[in-house]
Structure formats: C-alpha cells, structure tokens
Amino acid sequence: EDEVFISGLIPVETSKKYKIEVISYTEGKGMFLTKFHGFQKIPMHLGKIREKTRIDPLNKTMYLLYKSNAIK
C-alpha cells in the first residue's frame, strides 16, 4: 500500500475537525497527528474573543458544575 506523509503548520482551530476528515477521506486507514509548535500573533480581526468565566478551570469540581449549568 502507498503511504503519504504531509508535514506543516496549521492553526489549532483548523485542526480540530481535520482528524475526522482524514479518517473519512482514507476510509478509516489514515492518521492525523499533531504536535504543539508554538504561538504566533495574529491580527485581531482573525482571532476569537470569548467571555471570561468566573470559575477557575483548575478547580475541577467547580468548573464541572459550572459547565453542566449546575451553578452560575
């Protein structure tokens, strides 16, 4: 069987759905592996802004309660 190896840099947001696409394209035989490369600044209009939560994600109990809408 033929093997193809593609290497490159892509934004994390782009890579989230790509794993599923690779599996689909290759009928379950393909693999999509990622490795953290670093951060790069981007123009503000290309970025995403999300609302800051009042819950610290490192406090797992409170964070899970918050994410399940048990607390606000």
Side-chain angles (χ1 to χ4, degrees):
E1 291 187 30
D2 293 335
E3 289 187 14
V4 176
F5 179 80
I6 300 171
S7 178
L9 301 175
I10 61 173
V12 171
E13 191 66 31
T14 304
S15 70
K16 290 179 180 178
K17 294 181 183 176
Y18 196 65
K19 181 178 183 176
I20 296 168
E21 291 181 29
V22 168
I23 292 170
S24 175
Y25 295 151
T26 62
E27 298 176 351
K29 297 177 185 176
M31 294 187 337
F32 179 70
L33 305 173
T34 60
K35 182 173 108 177
F36 179 74
H37 179 68
F39 291 101
Q40 292 182 340
K41 289 186 178 185
I42 62 168
M44 284 297 291
H45 70 279
L46 295 177
K48 289 189 174 184
I49 298 174
R50 63 182 183 137
E51 187 177 318
K52 182 178 178 179
T53 63
R54 293 178 287 152
I55 305 298
D56 179 4
L58 298 177
N59 182 339
K60 290 182 182 180
T61 303
M62 293 300 288
Y63 185 72
L64 290 173
L65 288 170
Y66 173 76
K67 290 304 277 183
S68 64
N69 293 321
I71 60 172
K72 297 219 180 224

